[in-house]
Amino acid sequence: MSKKMKMNPQQQQAVDYMDGPCLVLAGAGSGKTGVITQKIARLINECGYEPKHILAVTFTNKAAKEMNERVAKIMGDKSTKGLTISTFHSFGVRFLRDEAKHLNLKEKFSILDQDDCFSILQELCATTDKALIKAMQSTISLWKNSQITPEQALKDAKDNDELQFARVYANYNATIAAYQAVDFDDLIRLPVELLQTNEEVRNRWQAKLRYILVDEYQDTNTVQYLLLKLLTGVRAMFTAVGDDDQAIYAWRGATVDNLKLLQTDFPRLKLVKLEQNYRSTVSILNAANALIGHNPKLFDKKLWSDLGQGEAIKVLPMANEEEEAENVIMRLQAHKIANNSQFSDYAILYRGNHQARLFEQFLRKERIPYVMSGGQSFFERAEIRDIMAYFRLLNNINDDPAFIRAVTTPKRGIGSATLEHLGQYAGRRGVPLFEAVFETGFASISTPRQLEPLLEFAEFINQFEQRASTEEANEVLDDLIKAIGYEVYLFDQFDERQAQSKWKNVVDFMAWIKRRAEEDDKKLSAVIQSMVLISMLDKGTEDANTVRLSTLHASKGLEYPHVFLVGIEEGLLPHMSRDEALEDPTRIEEERRLMYVGITRARLSLHVTWCQKRRRGRDFENRELSRFIKEMKHESETARENLKEVPQITPKQRIEMLKAMLAKQAGQQDLPFKQTEEI
C-alpha cells in the first residue's frame, strides 16, 4: 500500500500538474525530494505510467539512492520494476551500452577516469608540466559539455595557446576512440550526438521514456539540457526541479541560463514555487533572504518558515586564523555539551580546502572525530586504483591504461623498455597492447626475456576473464587477489604500518564487491562494468558521529543542526585573487549564491567567523569583513562599527572556558566568550 506525505498547497500543485512541462522552483529546505518521489508514485498509481517509462535523474549517487529508497517506501508492496532513478552519467552508461553499435563502440567499452585522461594528454603533449595538462583537461571538459567539437575549437581559436589545446583535443578524442574507451564527459556528449543525428534511435528512446524528472536542474550544463530536450521530444512531459539561488557550479560548465531557456523553448511551461522552508529557523532564513536579495532575480522567491525565530546568528571576529580555528573548536565543544548534541550535528564550512588544515589540527588536538568532504575518496587511494586496473582489464582487454598499470603492479620483470617496445609495435599495427602480445609479428621482433612475462600475464588475465563470467564472484575474487600477490607486494614496498593500512583497504574493498554481487545476484563480470563509474561518483564516507569539515561547494544538498561558516572575509568569500582590480558582477553573484548555500545548510544555529589578520607567507596582512556579512544584516551596519582588536586566547582563558562549558550545561551561567554580534 502506497504512502502519501502531507503536502502544502504548492507542493501538491507541483505533484498534480500533468499537462506538460513543469518547472518547480524549490528553495532550500522546501521538500523538493518529497515532491519528486510523490510525483513518481502518482505517475504510476494514478496516471497509468508504467515504471519502465519513467526516468528521474540527479547528480550524485547518494541523491539517487535516497530517492530510490523514498519511492520504495511510498509504493510499499507495489512493484517499481523497470523504474530508472540514477545520475546523469549512470544513465549515459546505460544508453551507451544499449546503443554501442551506433557509435562504433564495443559493448564492453572502458570508462577512463581523470588519471587515465591525464596520462593520455601527458603522452600526447610529451610534457611533464602538470599545470598545463590540468588546464588542457579542464578546457577539453568545458568544450565537450558545451558541445564544441575539435573542429569548432580549431576554428574559434584566438591565439596559439587555444590552437594548441584544440589540436590536442582532436588527438585526444582519436586516441580514446582507438582504446574503445570514453571519458566522463562523453557519457552525456555521445548520447546527445547520437540522438541529434539518428532519428530511429531518438524515436525509440522518446517512446521508451515517457516522463522525465530532473533534480538540481540549475546545475545542468549545455549537453545535459540538450539530453533532456531530445529525450522528451514534442510531448515535453517532464518536471524540472531547481533553484536559481543555489547555482554554484559555473566553473565546471553549469549554466543558470538553462532556467531561462526552459521558458523560451517551452512556452507552455508551468511554474510552481516552493517557498516554505522546513529546515531552518526564521533568523537564519531572514539572513539568507536579505543576502540573496542583492542578486538580480530570474524568479521572485522568498523563503519563510514556521519553525520559530530560533537562536540569533552570531558574527564572531577573530584575531587571526589560528585563533579562529581554536575558538571555533572550543565553541563547538561548549555548544555540544550545553545542548547535549552529537558531533555529527556540527559542520564547519569554508570556501577553500586550504582553510581546513588548522581546523583539522585543533580537532585532532581535542580528540574530536571528524570527516572531510571533498577530500581524497576511498576510490582514489593508490591501492584501490591498482586493483581497479585489473577489474577494468577483465571488463575490457583493450583498455591500454589499465593494462599498463596492472602489468607493472606488482612488478613482473616487465620494465619500461619492454612496454615501450610493445607500445611501438601496437601503434604501428593499430591494435591494443593486449592483442599485440599474442601477434606473431611481435613475437618475431622480441626476445624471450621480453615476450615470456607478457604472455604469462596476458594468459593470466584471459583465464580470470573467463572465470568472471561463469563462476561465483566470491571465489573468483579471492583467487584473483591471491594470484596477483598484492599483499606480499605491499609489505615489500612499504613499512609495516603503511602496508597494513593499505591491505585493510583492499580487504574492505573486496568485501564490498562481494556484497554487491550477492545482493544483485550477479557474476563478477556483471558487477565490474559499473565499478569505474561508481568510483568516480562516490565520494566521502558514510555518516557517523563525526564533525563534518567541508567546502561550501561540497556541502550543497546537505543540512546540519549547527553550522560554523568560517573565513568570511573579502578575498576569501567572495573569492578573488590578490591582483584582481576589477570585479566581475557575475562572479560576485555566484559567490553570493555560495554564501547563501552555506547559510541555508543550518537548521538551528549559525556562527559566522572572520579574521582581522591572516597569514601570508611569514607576514600577516589585514583583512576586511566580507560584504556578504553586511548584506546578511541588511537593516544594520553595526558589524564594522563595534569591532575592536580581538586578543589571543590565553591558557588561563582556555581553562575558564572549559569550566564555563560545564556550568552552562548545568544552566548556571552563560559562556564568557569574546564580544560577538547577533543578527
Side-chain angles (χ1 to χ4, degrees):
M1 190 172 173
S2 63
K3 299 178 182 178
K4 287 190 177 181
M5 76 175 200
K6 188 177 179 182
M7 289 184 284
N8 64 42
Q10 290 73 35
Q11 290 173 326
Q12 192 67 58
Q13 187 184 12
V15 169
D16 290 346
Y17 187 77
M18 296 291 178
D19 296 332
C22 179
L23 171 61
V24 181
L25 200 66
S30 62
K32 66 179 178 68
T33 304
V35 166
I36 293 171
T37 52
Q38 288 291 335
K39 191 156 192 172
I40 291 171
R42 190 169 190 275
L43 284 163
I44 298 168
N45 290 334
E46 300 174 37
C47 301
Y49 283 84
E50 292 183 52
K52 67 181 180 181
H53 292 149
I54 300 170
L55 167 67
V57 285
T58 186
F59 281 86
T60 66
N61 280 324
K62 185 177 180 181
K65 183 182 177 185
E66 182 188 351
M67 213 174 284
N68 265 303
E69 289 171 350
R70 286 212 202 179
V71 169
K73 192 173 180 180
I74 294 168
M75 297 297 291
D77 297 333
K78 192 163 182 177
S79 174
T80 57
K81 188 177 180 181
L83 172 68
T84 302
I85 301 177
S86 72
T87 64
F88 269 100
H89 294 91
S90 293
F91 173 77
V93 172
R94 171 191 163 187
F95 184 100
L96 292 180
R97 282 177 184 154
D98 289 353
E99 308 297 343
K101 63 181 180 182
H102 292 290
L103 292 158
N104 296 317
L105 281 172
K106 293 181 181 177
E107 191 178 337
K108 288 186 175 182
F109 59 86
S110 298
I111 304 169
L112 302 178
D113 64 16
Q114 287 285 91
D115 283 357
D116 295 330
C117 300
F118 185 96
S119 299
I120 291 168
L121 287 170
Q122 190 173 35
E123 188 175 336
L124 288 172
C125 299
T127 180
T128 56
D129 187 340
K130 291 185 177 181
L132 176 65
I133 296 168
K134 283 182 178 178
M136 281 184 181
Q137 269 188 295
S138 178
T139 302
I140 290 172
S141 178
L142 287 172
W143 277 335
K144 288 191 174 189
N145 289 325
S146 301
Q147 219 186 15
I148 295 171
T149 63
E151 294 75 22
Q152 191 63 45
L154 281 165
K155 186 180 174 182
D156 295 344
K158 298 181 184 65
D159 53 42
N160 284 334
D161 285 345
E162 287 188 11
L163 192 62
Q164 182 193 4
F165 278 29
R167 286 169 178 162
V168 171
Y169 179 23
N171 291 334
Y172 167 80
N173 269 4
T175 301
I176 65 174
Y179 287 171
Q180 282 287 300
V182 297
D183 64 19
F184 204 57
D185 299 313
D186 289 333
L187 296 176
I188 311 297
R189 180 185 69 87
L190 290 174
V192 165
E193 286 186 5
L194 183 59
L195 289 166
Q196 285 175 323
T197 58
N198 191 311
E199 186 179 3
E200 182 270 325
V201 172
R202 185 169 63 251
N203 290 339
R204 179 157 38 83
W205 278 92
Q206 287 177 0
K208 187 184 294 187
L209 301 174
R210 297 179 186 176
Y211 203 98
I212 298 177
L213 303 100
V214 183
D215 190 20
E216 302 288 5
Y217 177 75
Q218 77 282 345
D219 294 337
T220 56
N221 57 35
T222 299
V223 290
Q224 287 163 340
Y225 177 60
L226 286 170
L227 183 66
L228 172 66
K229 280 185 68 179
L230 289 161
L231 289 173
T232 57
V234 293
R235 291 197 314 273
M237 296 300 287
F238 69 84
T239 295
V241 182
D243 182 7
D244 53 328
D245 291 333
Q246 297 187 74
I248 59 173
Y249 292 115
W251 51 275
R252 69 181 191 194
T255 172
V256 75
D257 287 343
N258 284 348
L259 283 160
K260 298 178 189 174
L261 281 173
L262 279 181
Q263 293 179 302
T264 305
D265 295 344
F266 303 96
R268 296 191 301 120
L269 183 74
K270 174 74 171 178
L271 177 64
V272 181
K273 298 178 186 177
L274 304 185
E275 296 174 293
Q276 183 174 358
N277 176 286
Y278 295 92
R279 176 185 299 160
S280 306
T281 60
V282 171
S283 62
I284 292 169
L285 291 185
N286 284 346
N289 286 330
L291 171 79
I292 206 65
H294 288 78
N295 272 5
K297 290 288 191 179
L298 282 175
F299 307 97
D300 286 329
K301 177 173 69 10
K302 191 171 183 178
L303 296 181
W304 62 275
S305 168
D306 60 5
L307 298 177
Q309 190 65 26
E311 288 185 33
I313 297 172
K314 294 179 178 60
V315 177
L316 310 166
M318 303 292 171
N320 54 53
E321 63 261 49
E322 284 86 1
E323 197 264 351
E324 177 184 47
E326 183 170 26
N327 197 284
V328 164
I329 302 312
M330 293 293 292
R331 287 177 178 275
L332 189 154
Q333 286 180 300
H335 198 279
K336 176 182 176 296
I337 292 171
N339 293 276
N340 197 26
S341 310
Q342 301 293 313
F343 283 125
S344 54
D345 293 336
Y346 295 86
I348 301 171
L349 308 181
Y350 37 80
R351 178 62 176 81
N353 271 313
H354 67 279
Q355 293 170 257
R357 183 182 60 83
L358 282 169
F359 291 96
E360 284 192 90
Q361 183 178 311
F362 282 104
L363 284 164
R364 287 196 300 268
K365 184 180 177 182
E366 296 296 323
R367 299 184 179 181
I368 296 172
Y370 69 92
V371 64
M372 286 186 69
S373 292
Q376 188 187 47
S377 157
F378 180 77
F379 287 94
E380 291 169 340
R381 300 174 189 272
E383 59 272 22
I384 304 304
R385 291 177 57 78
D386 288 342
I387 303 302
M388 282 295 299
Y390 285 88
F391 291 163
R392 287 168 49 191
L393 203 53
L394 291 177
N395 176 61
N396 177 10
I397 57 173
N398 297 332
D399 189 334
D400 283 355
F403 178 93
I404 292 168
R405 186 166 189 140
V407 82
T408 56
T409 313
K411 300 290 185 186
R412 295 181 170 82
I414 302 169
S416 55
T418 299
L419 286 175
E420 188 176 343
H421 174 63
L422 177 64
Q424 287 171 347
Y425 173 83
R428 289 195 302 271
R429 289 275 295 121
V431 297
L433 297 175
F434 192 94
E435 188 176 327
V437 171
F438 291 101
E439 291 201 352
T440 54
F442 179 66
S444 67
I445 61 170
S446 305
T447 65
R449 188 176 175 184
Q450 291 174 318
L451 185 61
E452 286 171 8
L454 285 170
L455 282 170
E456 186 179 342
F457 174 77
E459 287 166 358
F460 162 76
I461 294 296
N462 273 336
Q463 178 193 351
F464 274 95
E465 183 192 26
Q466 188 176 8
R467 289 185 63 188
S469 303
T470 57
E471 299 179 22
E472 291 297 320
N474 288 10
E475 189 174 335
V476 179
L477 277 169
D478 290 339
D479 289 350
L480 177 64
I481 295 299
K482 188 177 178 181
I484 292 171
Y486 196 75
E487 184 178 11
V488 174
Y489 160 78
L490 287 176
F491 281 88
D492 283 345
Q493 293 293 312
F494 303 95
D495 64 51
E496 188 172 351
R497 188 174 63 83
Q498 281 181 301
Q500 284 175 346
S501 175
K502 288 176 179 289
W503 179 242
K504 184 179 182 302
N505 288 336
V506 172
V507 171
D508 290 346
F509 185 43
M510 292 299 104
W512 182 71
I513 295 171
K514 288 176 182 178
R515 283 198 302 274
R516 284 186 66 89
E518 287 172 4
E519 288 167 3
D520 298 338
D521 193 25
K522 290 179 178 177
K523 301 296 183 192
L524 183 60
S525 59
V527 177
I528 283 175
Q529 193 169 18
S530 63
M531 295 299 296
V532 173
L533 187 64
I534 291 170
S535 73
M536 286 189 280
L537 289 173
D538 281 6
K539 301 289 182 183
T541 59
E542 293 298 314
D543 292 337
N545 189 24
T546 55
V547 174
R548 176 73 63 173
L549 294 180
S550 175
T551 62
L552 287 163
H553 282 101
S555 75
K556 189 166 166 292
L558 304 175
E559 62 179 69
Y560 306 92
H562 312 289
V563 169
F564 288 83
L565 282 178
V566 301
I568 311 302
E569 307 142 25
E570 291 290 302
L572 268 179
L573 191 69
H575 176 75
M576 63 189 83
S577 63
R578 197 177 188 185
D579 37 353
E580 264 182 310
L582 299 173
E583 294 185 357
D584 178 359
T586 57
R587 267 200 52 209
I588 297 298
E589 288 164 18
E590 176 141 338
E591 291 289 300
R592 187 175 286 113
R593 291 195 291 269
L594 193 56
M595 178 75 174
Y596 175 84
V597 165
I599 294 170
T600 54
R601 297 314 92 195
R603 288 174 49 207
L604 303 176
S605 75
L606 177 64
H607 295 72
V608 183
T609 68
W610 69 283
C611 296
Q612 294 178 319
K613 293 183 179 181
R614 194 169 286 272
R615 193 179 296 278
R616 194 174 187 95
R618 294 183 178 180
D619 302 319
F620 284 93
E621 64 177 17
N622 292 327
R623 310 293 292 201
E624 290 185 20
L625 180 79
S626 171
R627 71 192 76 184
F628 297 156
I629 293 179
K630 292 179 279 185
E631 291 172 1
M632 283 165 59
K633 293 180 77 80
H634 196 55
E635 73 283 350
S636 172
E637 291 294 331
T638 59
R640 180 189 294 275
E641 295 168 10
N642 294 335
L643 293 178
K644 300 177 182 178
E645 189 69 24
V646 182
Q648 290 278 355
I649 295 177
T650 66
K652 186 177 178 181
Q653 287 174 316
R654 183 181 174 84
I655 293 170
E656 290 300 313
M657 290 172 75
L658 286 167
K659 287 180 180 176
M661 291 180 205
L662 300 173
K664 177 72 183 293
Q665 188 183 17
Q668 297 173 18
Q669 65 180 72
D670 204 350
L671 301 175
F673 290 139
K674 298 173 186 177
Q675 170 263 339
T676 69
E677 298 190 17
E678 295 190 348
I679 297 177

